[in-house]
Amino acid sequence: MPYAGLRQQVTLHEELARLDYAEGRYAEAFSHASQSMALRDSVTSLTETEEVAKINALYNYHRTEEMNRQLEQRNRRQRGWLYGIVSAALLAACATAVWLRQKKHEAALQRQKIRNLEAEQYRRSEAYRAESRRQLAELEAQLCKAEKDKDTARRELLETRHALLELSAAKDRIEQQERGLLVSQLHRSSVYAFFHKAAHEEIRITAENWQELRAAIDAAYDDFTGRLYSLCPNLSEMELHICWLIKIQLSPKDMAQVVGRSQSAVSMARTRLYKKIHQKEGTTSDFDKFIADL
């Protein structure tokens, strides 16, 4: 120990003080006793200092351990937060990628639906019938030439094509006439008259009235509502009503009166629906034409 020599000196001075006192050398005995007491005080002071140092060292050790423990806990929490943030970011990225892929797939399907619809509308158009007449005239000219050339095989082939084209044209004419009759029947119907009257008079329109209008339109226009829903499944009730009213040829002002909205609200609904269906901007006239042709 650092103070072992001091203890020996204390013991030595105590022994010398006793010897001097026993032999009557009181001054020397007092001197040795004083030195012994001074040295003992030094030993006590050193002992207390060492104890304090031990206590401080022990306190610092425990304090350091506690700080290390708290730091480790904080680091674990921070690592947990970091892992959580990274995991959340990865999940968000994956979800976004899936959502974008789904939206891309849905957009592709919608474009295909529009292309199919446009092809069907073209088949029922005057332009298609004009093209059919042009092809028939061209085949007839080729038939005349084949007969002049006495080309029997080609003539038979052209006659077959001509017959098929005439059958297709006849079928289209019958379908057109049937559609015309159905539309004429709709225009003469009581529900058609009721909604045109409701545009100018204060008439209460019930859910049954709307269902009657839907049935009449779907009968005249080959399940118009079902085909509309296939293009835009998330139609609101007002949007659907606007489409039906366009189909029975109500003006924007009259439509606003019937659905109980402003004319600007009806216009915004039409442009919004055009974008929703066609995935591009369009005017109210574009939408009205689309619905009229559907």
Side-chain angles (χ1 to χ4, degrees), residues 13-29:
H13 281 292
E14 286 176 348
E15 290 299 325
L16 288 173
R18 279 195 293 273
L19 287 173
D20 287 338
Y21 183 81
E23 295 177 1
R25 294 191 293 275
Y26 298 115
E28 288 83 350

Side-chain angles (χ1 to χ4, degrees), residues 97-115:
V98 171
W99 180 79
L100 288 174
R101 190 179 302 113
Q102 180 65 23
K103 295 299 288 183
K104 184 177 180 180
H105 177 66
E106 290 174 358
L109 286 178
Q110 186 71 4
R111 288 193 296 271
Q112 185 59 50
K113 288 179 181 179
I114 294 296
R115 284 194 293 269

Side-chain angles (χ1 to χ4, degrees), residues 260-287:
R261 300 295 178 89
S262 67
Q263 193 169 337
S264 62
V266 170
S267 295
M268 285 190 292
R270 286 145 68 206
T271 55
R272 183 173 62 249
L273 276 171
Y274 186 88
K275 184 176 182 180
K276 193 185 295 186
I277 294 172
H278 290 83
Q279 301 175 348
K280 62 181 181 180
E281 300 293 339
T283 65
T284 54
S285 297
D286 293 331
F287 183 70

Side-chain angles (χ1 to χ4, degrees), residues 142-155:
Q142 292 175 2
L143 271 170
C144 289
K145 185 175 184 304
E147 287 177 356
K148 287 180 181 179
D149 295 340
K150 300 188 182 303
D151 188 341
T152 305
R154 179 167 175 73
R155 180 176 56 78

Side-chain angles (χ1 to χ4, degrees), residues 107-276:
L109 286 178
Q110 186 71 4
R111 288 193 296 271
Q112 185 59 50
K113 288 179 181 179
I114 294 296
R115 284 194 293 269
N116 293 342
L117 177 63
E118 288 173 347
E120 176 62 22
Q121 288 175 338
Y122 173 71
R123 197 185 68 80
R124 296 185 314 210
S125 69
E126 179 58 36
Y128 178 81
R129 290 189 290 274
E131 176 62 19
S132 295
R133 290 192 294 270
R134 186 194 66 79
Q135 291 179 10
L136 279 170
E138 184 178 334
L139 281 173
E140 288 169 358
Q142 292 175 2
L143 271 170
C144 289
K145 185 175 184 304
E147 287 177 356
K148 287 180 181 179
D149 295 340
K150 300 188 182 303
D151 188 341
T152 305
R154 179 167 175 73
R155 180 176 56 78
E156 290 176 352
L157 176 62
L158 291 172
E159 285 176 345
T160 301
R161 289 179 180 174
H162 189 273
L164 289 174
L165 195 56
E166 278 191 327
L167 283 173
S168 177
K171 179 175 177 291
D172 289 338
R173 284 194 298 273
I174 293 171
E175 289 178 354
Q176 182 187 10
Q177 291 172 0
E178 183 181 359
R179 286 193 298 269
L181 290 172
L182 289 171
V183 171
S184 178
Q185 183 179 349
L186 169 65
H187 291 174
R188 293 193 306 270
S189 68
S190 60
V191 68
Y192 183 93
F194 172 84
F195 275 91
H196 276 265
K197 185 178 180 181
H200 303 284
E201 299 180 13
E202 291 293 332
I203 298 177
R204 179 174 174 269
I205 302 175
T206 66
E208 289 75 15
N209 296 138
W210 285 112
Q211 287 304 312
E212 186 181 356
L213 178 62
R214 171 180 180 166
I217 289 174
D218 287 348
Y221 293 103
D222 188 24
D223 189 28
F224 168 81
T225 306
R227 290 185 291 116
L228 181 61
Y229 269 125
S230 72
L231 293 170
C232 190
N234 56 344
L235 282 170
S236 70
E237 183 178 68
M238 187 191 78
E239 290 170 339
L240 183 58
H241 289 174
I242 288 172
C243 292
W244 288 339
L245 296 176
I246 293 172
K247 207 65 179 168
I248 61 170
Q249 301 174 338
L250 258 65
S251 69
K253 180 181 178 181
D254 290 346
M255 284 189 281
Q257 173 67 26
V258 170
V259 299
R261 300 295 178 89
S262 67
Q263 193 169 337
S264 62
V266 170
S267 295
M268 285 190 292
R270 286 145 68 206
T271 55
R272 183 173 62 249
L273 276 171
Y274 186 88
K275 184 176 182 180
K276 193 185 295 186

